[in-house]
Amino acid sequence: MKLSGMRNELLEEYGVEVHPMRLYRAKRKCMDAIEGNHGECYGKFPAYIDVVRYHNPGSLLKLQCERFHMTSNPSFKNFFVCLEAMKTGFINGCRLFLGLDGCHLKGPYGGVLLGAVALDGNHKLFPVAWAVVDGETKENWRFFLYHLHMVLGNDSLNRPYTFMTDRQKGVIDAISEYFPEANQRHCCRHLYSNFKARFPGILLRDHFWDAARACKREEFNESMDAMKRIDTAAYNWLMTIPVSQWSRHAFDPRVKNDSLTNNMSESFNQWVGELRCKPVLTMIDTIRCRLMSRTHKKYQKGSGWTNEITPAIMGKLDSIKQKSRTCHAMFTGGDEYEVIDGNRRHVVRLGRWDCDCRAWYILGIPCKHAITCITFQKANMASYCHDYFSKTVYLRAHGGRIHPIPAENRLIEFAQSDHDPVMPPPLRRLPRRPKINRRMQPDEGAPSTHRIRNSTVRCKNCRQYGHNKHSCQRAPVQRKTTGKAKRGNGGAGPSQEPMTQASVNQDSGICSSNASGSVLGRGMGTEGRGNACDGGDGGIGRGRGKGSAGDGVIGRGRGNSRVGNGGPGCIGLGRGRGREGGNGMPGGNATGMAGRSDNGRARGRARGRARGRARGRARGSGVEWAWL
């Protein structure tokens, strides 16, 4: 609850107005009682380590402290956590691909939460280890990766680990120190942000991402040559970074992961987002509780799957199969196929699980060319996926159990040894108010709560982009009307045949057309008001209806009309239906009169409003429905 809500609640219930500072102190005492005090939680770390180790044997928890004076108590510096269930699950059931990243904590003592996150066979997050450090420095990254190396074991030299980073300060050197045989990748989103700051431009952006997504060396060279023709400096800057760290064609195929961004680490930071303002020990134990229930739920859910591979991979195979409909496979004998994809040809060897586009080789999932051949052979697509994506390996990853521990207020009872009290780290207060919003990139602009329009403005008048109809300086584009027209605009509805230009007789208010097709619509006729004179026609009232215009007109409506000298009159007051053939003979029933006067004297003013439907048939070359 916010302070304003507390203030309004007290004012409504008790009629007491409390100062905001007093409300703040009261809220802080309540939060300390519920979640724990930020400063006091550091003294519980030694007991917490003993309890977790006792109930979860094999887990690695390391606390690093520092003493500022020989006589002072140790102060908290770093804390590393890796539970046994997450360690065995990663080694036995996940791809050897880890994302490294950190996020800042929002408590009074600050700090950074570092994490190593993997992906399971269903492409979901699998946190392996995490640590709380006082800053994202080279020394702290060495602390984190040193203990991560202890977790993964001494055989890490023989396993093809790959680390995805954002090129943070010190992390590249620390990986090279403790995992010298591991591959490194850089997040292409952060890499492009640095690239764009130096070399902006849409064409350079497109060539950068084409080169990053290229699965073949030839495609990569083609994109880089195009970039070099545009800007040689951009090409030289990008080539200073090892290609194996950002281009897909040079990735290690043993990892079976083609990720270009570090989204899994960003998702982990979002997953713990609301915990970053809580006390450090509360945050760490809440992460443990979440993983404890999460792994068990995933194991139960995975046990009920009926397919051989995970649902996420099945969905991806279905999507690739839809894309493969544009490919054509030609069987050449044995297990070889030649696949035509547009103007390109690819060679697929199903027995070797190989396609010359190399997408299947890098990811471990059949590409659209391979799926075309598998469908041609009427084989099962799941049998051509790597074991990393199988149900058996997925259950192996989530088969471990994270055992519960006692409540935080009982940690001292289960502690195995006495420890010196750990003091909180030095309180470092920066000048000015603490910043809450994320630091924006130069091209992102200032943060705002208003919704940003992402679409391009398009004019409804000339159908061009870049302006709207109010600032349009061009002539409107004539286009066909579809659907029922609105009442009052005389528009026509959907037609079965192409429309021709319709005309409206303003004197008589009758719509006529030379169309040979059939049109259904709504509209308004002209409303006449005035005295009929010699040679003039009476006005027809406004109405709604359906009618046909051919050699004759049939109508149903209401109206008042007086006939002048020499002018034909309208149908009098009443209702009626009629059919008029080619000779103009009216038919049907009507109350009223249509007459002609030759004496040249107007009998009155024609007024009328008609609401109805006009229906009719004509014996012409076609039928058109329109408003009369």
Side-chain angles (χ1 to χ4, degrees), residues 235-270:
Y235 171 85
N236 295 331
W237 183 88
L238 200 57
M239 291 303 292
T240 56
I241 304 172
V243 178
S244 60
Q245 298 181 0
W246 62 276
S247 184
R248 187 172 287 169
H249 80 281
F251 290 167
D252 190 348
R254 296 175 295 175
V255 181
K256 302 304 176 186
N257 188 297
D258 62 347
S259 299
L260 295 174
T261 59
N262 200 8
N263 286 341
M264 54 186 181
S265 296
E266 302 292 345
S267 300
F268 175 75
N269 295 340
Q270 181 67 23

Side-chain angles (χ1 to χ4, degrees), residues 503-514:
S503 61
V504 178
N505 189 336
Q506 298 294 336
D507 293 334
S508 60
I510 299 176
C511 297
S512 62
S513 175
N514 298 324

Side-chain angles (χ1 to χ4, degrees), residues 64 77-78 137-144 169-170:
Q64 183 182 16
K77 182 174 176 59
N78 299 325
T137 61
K138 180 179 179 179
E139 180 183 358
N140 291 334
W141 275 115
R142 293 180 72 253
F143 165 83
F144 181 75
K169 182 179 180 181

Side-chain angles (χ1 to χ4, degrees), residues 12-69:
E12 292 177 3
E13 293 291 334
Y14 304 100
V16 178
E17 187 171 357
V18 185
H19 193 273
M21 182 53 67
R22 180 170 294 183
L23 293 175
Y24 171 76
R25 289 195 293 265
K27 180 180 178 180
R28 186 174 60 181
K29 289 183 179 181
C30 294
M31 298 303 295
D32 291 345
I34 296 173
E35 299 177 349
N37 184 270
H38 283 269
E40 296 176 357
C41 71
Y42 292 98
K44 302 177 182 179
F45 268 102
Y48 180 80
I49 293 173
D50 293 338
V51 171
V52 174
R53 286 176 178 173
Y54 177 77
H55 291 87
N56 296 271
S59 301
L60 180 62
L61 291 87
K62 288 292 182 178
L63 175 64
Q64 183 182 16
C65 300
E66 58 182 356
R67 295 180 183 268
F68 297 99
H69 301 285

Side-chain angles (χ1 to χ4, degrees), residues 6-197:
M6 297 172 59
R7 184 178 183 181
N8 295 335
E9 188 74 17
L10 291 173
L11 188 61
E12 292 177 3
E13 293 291 334
Y14 304 100
V16 178
E17 187 171 357
V18 185
H19 193 273
M21 182 53 67
R22 180 170 294 183
L23 293 175
Y24 171 76
R25 289 195 293 265
K27 180 180 178 180
R28 186 174 60 181
K29 289 183 179 181
C30 294
M31 298 303 295
D32 291 345
I34 296 173
E35 299 177 349
N37 184 270
H38 283 269
E40 296 176 357
C41 71
Y42 292 98
K44 302 177 182 179
F45 268 102
Y48 180 80
I49 293 173
D50 293 338
V51 171
V52 174
R53 286 176 178 173
Y54 177 77
H55 291 87
N56 296 271
S59 301
L60 180 62
L61 291 87
K62 288 292 182 178
L63 175 64
Q64 183 182 16
C65 300
E66 58 182 356
R67 295 180 183 268
F68 297 99
H69 301 285
M70 296 298 297
T71 58
S72 63
N73 291 325
S75 298
F76 177 89
K77 182 174 176 59
N78 299 325
F79 183 62
F80 177 87
V81 181
C82 181
L83 302 175
E84 174 66 17
M86 309 309 294
K87 178 185 69 174
T88 57
F90 170 72
I91 294 175
N92 298 327
C94 293
R95 288 164 284 179
L96 305 179
F97 182 80
L98 285 168
L100 304 179
D101 197 12
C103 59
H104 291 271
L105 304 181
K106 300 180 181 180
Y109 295 96
V112 176
L113 177 65
L114 303 180
V117 186
L119 293 174
D120 59 13
N122 200 33
H123 276 313
K124 302 301 180 182
L125 297 181
F126 193 90
V128 179
W130 55 96
V132 176
V133 297
D134 57 356
E136 196 170 359
T137 61
K138 180 179 179 179
E139 180 183 358
N140 291 334
W141 275 115
R142 293 180 72 253
F143 165 83
F144 181 75
L145 290 171
Y146 169 76
H147 291 94
L148 184 62
H149 182 266
M150 294 177 59
V151 168
L152 299 180
N154 296 325
D155 60 340
S156 59
L157 295 176
N158 301 324
R159 307 189 63 166
Y161 288 109
T162 298
F163 292 94
M164 170 72 79
T165 64
D166 298 342
R167 304 179 73 189
Q168 299 98 327
K169 182 179 180 181
V171 65
I172 299 176
D173 297 335
I175 293 174
S176 301
E177 181 178 356
Y178 294 106
F179 296 90
E181 301 297 327
N183 300 305
Q184 297 190 36
R185 294 187 195 176
H186 297 326
C187 178
C188 286
R189 187 181 68 85
H190 293 81
L191 182 62
Y192 175 69
S193 298
N194 298 331
F195 177 81
K196 182 174 59 175

Side-chain angles (χ1 to χ4, degrees), residues 499-557:
M499 292 182 58
T500 59
Q501 184 177 0
S503 61
V504 178
N505 189 336
Q506 298 294 336
D507 293 334
S508 60
I510 299 176
C511 297
S512 62
S513 175
N514 298 324
S516 59
S518 175
V519 180
L520 176 63
R522 294 183 177 180
M524 294 184 183
T526 58
E527 181 177 358
R529 181 179 181 183
N531 294 326
C533 57
D534 293 342
D537 298 341
I540 294 180
R542 184 171 56 184
R544 181 178 65 177
K546 297 179 181 179
S548 63
D551 294 338
V553 177
I554 302 170
R556 179 184 180 184

Side-chain angles (χ1 to χ4, degrees), residues 185-228:
R185 294 187 195 176
H186 297 326
C187 178
C188 286
R189 187 181 68 85
H190 293 81
L191 182 62
Y192 175 69
S193 298
N194 298 331
F195 177 81
K196 182 174 59 175
R198 295 174 173 84
F199 312 102
I202 298 178
L203 291 178
L204 293 177
R205 179 199 64 186
D206 295 341
H207 293 318
F208 171 84
W209 286 109
D210 290 342
R213 297 188 182 105
C215 293
K216 298 177 66 175
R217 182 72 183 182
E218 295 79 8
E219 298 174 355
F220 173 80
N221 293 334
E222 182 180 352
S223 301
M224 295 302 295
D225 291 341
M227 180 187 295
K228 187 176 182 180

